[in-house]
Amino acid sequence: MKTFKPILLLTLSVLFTLTSCRTEDDLAIDPPVEETIEANSTVADLLSRTASNDGSDDNIIDNASCLSVQLPVTVTVNGIELEINDDDGYEDIEDIIDLFDDDVDSVVISYPITIILVDFSTVVVNSDSELAALVVNCVGENEDDDDIECIDFQYPITASVLDENNNLINSITINSDNDMYDFIDDLDGFAAATINFPITVIFADGTTQVINTIQELENAIEMADDSCDEDDDNDFDDDDCDSCSTNDLDTIFADCTEWSVDKLERNDNDLEDNYVGYEFEFNSDGTILVTQGINTFNGTWEASGTGNTISVIINVIGLSDFNDTWNLHEIEQEPGEVKVDLRLGDDRLRFESDCSSNGSIDDTALVNALTNGDWYVTYYFDDTDETADFTDYTFNFASDNTATAMDMSGTTNGSWSTSSGDNTELGLNLNFGTGIPLDELADDWDVLEVTNDIIRLKDISGGDGSEDFLTFERTPFNGGINDTALVNALTNGDWYVTYYFDDTNETPDFADYTFNFASNNTATAMDMSGTTNGSWSTTSGDDTELGLNLNFGTGIPLDELADDWDVLEVTNDIIRLKDISGGDGSEDFLTFERTPFDGGNGNDDLEDILTDGLWIVASYTEDADDQTGNYSGYQLDFDPAGTVVADNGSNPNNGTWMVISSGNQMVLDFGIAIPFEEFNDDDWDVISVSATEVVIQDVSGGGGGTDTLTLQKL
């Protein structure tokens, strides 16, 4: 499929013609026969295979090592669209794929694309079937192929083209593998050709060698062939341990003394939840100490081999799930986190450590609160609200890291420990065994909030990446209604409707009304025409724990408020409500605040307000699930040019922002930057604006969920 090169042949024809006019002063070259490169010779074949297009870098997209996709290309990875412009883009794909171990991953290509073949010729591909027709010509994953990837040439290289009398007729500068491949491919059109030595070659480990003869070049390429892992797996960068050593493992285990089980899969069974709260210490003398509460387990470990053939033997008495001869698959080091990944066929064992758990986690407040008195589960959410499953349990956590869960049937023993969280600074590990329903609590929970009266926890589930929530409080779960804060706020002073949405924004209809709610469940709505009497009461919400029932009769517009509203947020200054309408299932929104509605013009200064100083995420709820803890420590800087940076000192999230619709809507886009990609939307409704606080809200498509984001100025 190589393209014909008429310009090159024309040039050679002219040069051959010119040789008849050469003078005696012209240079004649008479290289030894062994220094010329002949078409189809061994060295020519080696040079061609070394210079051919290596298509393995982008296997994560095309699953083929004999071709590559010309960049840029757009792909959709697990529902996230990416534009790939360079090798960093391949890494972005793998980062998304590696988020979860048990999900089904997909990389969907946006056609048309241009494919670069082994000989650097190109072909346009318009569909998966057309791509598959090309891929079928490649060997399978990790099978031997023709290209040689363990040695490269340092360019530029100069080659000499000679006539049948060994006269120099052309000097060619080779600047790339493409040039080298074409040079070798054209040898049959030359009387003779040679490379001008010395040249330098580069090996896979980064070392170099100066080559002075054709024979040295042939020897170097033959020795390098198959001397490294050519990374022909269908992922990016192979995640292999090409340069791993047992010394690396020794150093990692010495520097990071507390290891937890991040992944354990044996015979297709996920077992990591069985070992929540277990801490592993790998000692330099080959011993292992495992602690779980007051329990201890002793064992040994041993590593041998090099690179991708390092074996790690683990043997812990009483913990047979870990005992085997594992292969070291990867050592992954990131700021604040180290993972050691072991594989054995389809079985997996991955240890993780924050390398700073000894004294670096300030868990004093959590430990003091947790070990002081009894606790009750007042909220547990795992796909659905399952709080009622824990209604009868009383939890007690002792200072020796043991725990008990008592109900009418008896006492279940468990354990607890602190660690660093996956997405928060502090984590709480719980384990009450495999009995239902307490087995649901076995996890390494991220700590969102700790006071003497409440402990709020969150965990990202394996598989689909959904979030679980767990809340402990001092008083038992009462069936779902905890209306103290709502009643206290509602009956204390006047309120004004600052947002009412029913298919359209109808807030101005309520601009003149002042609402007052009395402790005897009566209410009034006053405007210039007089007072309308009404009533209120609390209940459980349809989609939230707490609901508020309002009724101001059938008069327009107050009849619109007659409903059983779900309570989304309650403070002394704001009450946010939501209701799913009958019929089409659309959502209505109602917000009460302490200051009157300003006619909709109060958002005109939103751009000036946001660009004046730094902001934090004071609150973020998604479908009533509080995810504020994900954004702890981040400061947002809004630039007038339309860019925004959210940075916690180690993880900058870059995005764009825009205020539209006369200040009534806002656009945010952080791309795939975790965790701020949650804010990506082009129609946030601006609910309230002040010099120190901005509240925006979005009704999601499809399921109609509601996201509410509150930004607070530092």
Side-chain angles (χ1 to χ4, degrees):
M1 302 182 71
K2 191 170 184 64
T3 56
F4 187 61
K5 295 180 284 294
I7 295 177
L8 177 59
L9 295 181
L10 176 62
T11 302
L12 291 175
S13 299
V14 172
L15 290 171
F16 278 119
T17 302
L18 292 175
T19 56
S20 61
C21 303
R22 293 170 60 88
T23 67
E24 295 179 357
D25 295 329
D26 290 329
L27 178 65
I29 299 177
D30 189 17
V33 173
E34 63 269 16
E35 291 305 312
T36 60
I37 304 175
E38 297 180 357
N40 303 316
S41 64
T42 298
V43 69
D45 177 65
L46 292 171
L47 287 167
S48 179
R49 290 169 56 198
T50 303
S52 63
N53 178 43
D54 172 22
S56 61
D57 282 352
D58 64 352
N59 283 5
I60 199 166
I61 294 178
D62 58 28
N63 294 333
S65 295
C66 74
L67 54 84
S68 56
V69 179
Q70 188 177 88
L71 302 181
V73 64
T74 299
V75 296
T76 301
V77 185
N78 294 352
I80 300 174
E81 184 175 283
L82 299 176
E83 181 177 293
I84 310 303
N85 297 295
D86 51 32
D87 284 2
D88 290 341
Y90 305 140
E91 203 165 307
D92 291 339
I93 296 175
E94 189 171 42
D95 287 344
I96 295 174
I97 289 176
D98 287 348
L99 281 174
F100 309 108
D101 296 320
D102 304 321
D103 59 343
V104 178
D105 298 309
S106 65
V107 179
V108 180
I109 301 171
S110 296
Y111 293 99
I113 59 174
T114 299
I115 293 297
I116 306 173
L117 302 177
V118 169
D119 63 358
F120 296 96
S121 62
T122 61
V123 58
V124 175
V125 170
N126 294 288
S127 66
D128 285 340
S129 59
E130 290 184 17
L131 178 60
L134 295 175
V135 172
V136 75
N137 296 316
C138 303
V139 299
E141 184 178 7
N142 279 327
E143 294 182 11
D144 288 336
D145 52 11
D146 289 337
D147 71 324
I148 299 173
E149 302 171 32
C150 302
I151 187 172
D152 288 308
F153 305 120
Q154 188 177 90
Y155 297 109
I157 292 173
T158 303
S160 296
V161 177
L162 314 174
D163 64 15
E164 62 276 4
N165 298 316
N166 286 330
N167 294 312
L168 175 65
I169 60 172
N170 194 17
S171 181
I172 300 174
T173 300
I174 301 173
N175 291 302
S176 65
D177 282 343
N178 193 349
D179 291 346
M180 178 64 80
Y181 191 93
D182 287 344
F183 169 70
I184 299 301
D185 196 39
D186 291 330
L187 284 177
D188 55 1
F190 305 149
T194 187
I195 288 177
N196 298 343
F197 294 101
I199 66 170
T200 300
V201 294
I202 308 168
F203 298 102
D205 61 2
T207 59
T208 61
Q209 178 182 342
V210 176
I211 304 294
N212 292 290
T213 66
I214 290 293
Q215 190 60 52
E216 285 183 21
L217 181 59
E218 182 176 324
N219 294 342
I221 296 176
E222 286 181 334
M223 290 181 60
D225 190 13
D226 295 327
S227 67
C228 68
D229 179 1
E230 295 191 345
D231 194 13
D232 288 338
D233 290 339
N234 290 339
D235 61 3
F236 177 67
D237 230 8
D238 212 18
D239 284 348
D240 287 339
C241 261
D242 291 335
S243 58
C244 291
S245 68
T246 56
N247 287 336
D248 294 334
L249 201 57
D250 292 339
T251 301
I252 289 294
F253 283 152
D255 290 345
C256 310
T257 56
E258 294 184 8
W259 296 83
S260 60
V261 179
D262 184 48
K263 179 69 177 178
L264 177 59
E265 183 176 337
R266 302 301 301 261
N267 300 318
D268 293 327
N269 296 313
D270 291 324
L271 305 177
E272 58 266 18
D273 285 349
N274 296 342
Y275 297 97
V276 172
Y278 285 70
E279 292 184 354
F280 288 70
E281 183 176 342
F282 296 84
N283 299 309
S284 59
D285 62 359
T287 61
I288 301 175
L289 176 63
V290 185
T291 57
Q292 184 260 336
I294 61 174
N295 302 314
T296 60
F297 305 85
N298 293 289
T300 60
W301 72 281
E302 179 184 354
S304 60
T306 59
N308 290 298
T309 60
I310 294 178
S311 297
V312 181
I313 303 174
I314 294 178
N315 187 12
V316 182
I317 299 173
L319 300 179
S320 59
D321 289 332
F322 298 88
N323 298 340
D324 226 319
T325 301
W326 300 86
N327 299 316
L328 180 61
H329 176 71
E330 180 184 13
I331 299 176
E332 182 180 348
Q333 293 180 272
E334 296 180 358
E337 183 179 72
V338 177
K339 293 184 179 181
V340 173
D341 195 353
L342 307 173
R343 304 284 177 95
L344 183 58
D346 292 331
D347 289 352
R348 297 186 61 183
L349 171 58
R350 186 168 64 217
F351 293 102
E352 69 173 355
S353 173
D354 58 13
C355 282
S356 58
S357 56
N358 284 333
S360 70
I361 301 175
D362 185 10
D363 56 10
T364 304
L366 174 61
V367 172
N368 288 344
L370 194 68
T371 58
N372 181 23
D374 294 333
W375 291 92
Y376 304 88
V377 172
T378 58
Y379 187 59
Y380 178 73
F381 182 91
D382 179 3
D383 295 331
T384 61
D385 190 334
E386 302 175 14
T387 312
D389 293 345
F390 303 92
T391 301
D392 298 328
Y393 285 92
T394 301
F395 294 84
N396 188 274
F397 301 88
S399 56
D400 63 356
N401 293 106
T402 62
T404 58
M406 294 182 291
D407 68 350
M408 295 182 65
S409 64
T411 300
T412 302
N413 294 313
S415 63
W416 67 273
S417 62
T418 60
S419 66
S420 61
D422 293 329
N423 294 301
T424 60
E425 183 176 355
L426 182 60
L428 176 61
N429 304 320
L430 300 177
N431 196 331
F432 287 92
T434 57
I436 297 172
L438 296 174
D439 61 322
E440 296 281 353
L441 305 185
D443 226 317
D444 46 346
W445 296 89
D446 288 340
V447 178
L448 301 180
E449 180 183 0
V450 174
T451 71
N452 192 51
D453 298 315
I454 190 170
I455 297 173
R456 293 195 307 110
L457 310 170
K458 181 193 76 171
D459 178 67
I460 298 179
S461 302
D464 62 358
S466 61
E467 292 183 324
D468 302 341
F469 294 90
L470 173 62
T471 300
F472 288 101
E473 292 189 72
R474 292 298 189 184
T475 55
F477 177 66
N478 65 356
I481 303 174
N482 184 3
D483 57 7
T484 303
L486 174 60
V487 172
N488 289 343
L490 194 68
T491 59
N492 181 22
D494 293 333
W495 292 92
Y496 303 88
V497 171
T498 57
Y499 187 61
Y500 179 73
F501 182 92
D502 180 3
D503 294 331
T504 62
N505 190 338
E506 302 175 15
T507 313
D509 293 347
F510 303 91
D512 298 329
Y513 285 93
T514 301
F515 293 84
N516 189 277
F517 301 88
S519 58
N520 63 356
N521 294 106
T522 62
T524 59
M526 294 182 292
D527 68 350
M528 295 181 64
S529 64
T531 300
T532 302
N533 294 313
S535 64
W536 67 272
S537 63
T538 60
T539 182
S540 60
D542 293 328
D543 293 325
T544 60
E545 187 174 346
L546 183 61
L548 176 62
N549 299 325
L550 299 177
N551 194 332
F552 287 91
T554 58
I556 297 172
L558 296 174
D559 62 323
E560 297 279 356
L561 305 185
D563 225 320
D564 48 345
W565 296 90
D566 288 341
V567 179
L568 300 179
E569 181 182 0
V570 174
T571 72
N572 191 52
D573 298 315
I574 192 167
I575 298 173
R576 300 185 200 283
L577 310 170
K578 178 192 74 171
D579 178 66
I580 298 179
S581 302
D584 63 357
S586 61
E587 290 185 325
D588 302 341
F589 295 92
L590 173 61
T591 300
F592 288 102
E593 292 188 74
R594 293 298 189 184
T595 55
F597 177 64
D598 62 3
N601 298 319
N603 301 342
D604 290 347
D605 297 329
L606 178 57
E607 291 185 3
D608 293 335
I609 288 172
L610 285 175
T611 55
D612 181 23
L614 299 175
W615 297 77
I616 62 170
V617 176
S619 175
Y620 177 62
T621 58
E622 183 177 9
D623 298 342
D625 293 337
D626 191 339
Q627 301 182 17
T628 311
N630 293 345
Y631 306 94
S632 176
Y634 282 93
Q635 296 182 3
L636 288 84
D637 187 3
F638 292 88
D639 188 88
T643 61
V644 56
V645 178
D647 195 354
N648 65 354
S650 61
N651 182 33
N653 287 245
N654 297 301
T656 59
W657 68 286
M658 181 186 305
V659 175
I660 59 176
S661 301
S662 300
N664 291 316
Q665 287 189 314
M666 186 172 173
V667 178
L668 284 173
D669 188 352
F670 282 91
I672 62 170
I674 298 173
F676 282 84
E677 91 287 357
E678 293 283 346
F679 294 170
N680 294 349
D681 217 302
D682 59 3
D683 59 354
W684 284 96
D685 291 322
V686 178
I687 305 302
S688 65
V689 175
S690 72
T692 58
E693 184 181 82
V694 173
V695 180
I696 58 179
Q697 194 173 75
D698 178 65
V699 181
S700 303
T706 303
D707 304 340
T708 304
L709 170 62
T710 301
L711 301 175
Q712 193 173 81
K713 188 176 180 181
L714 288 175

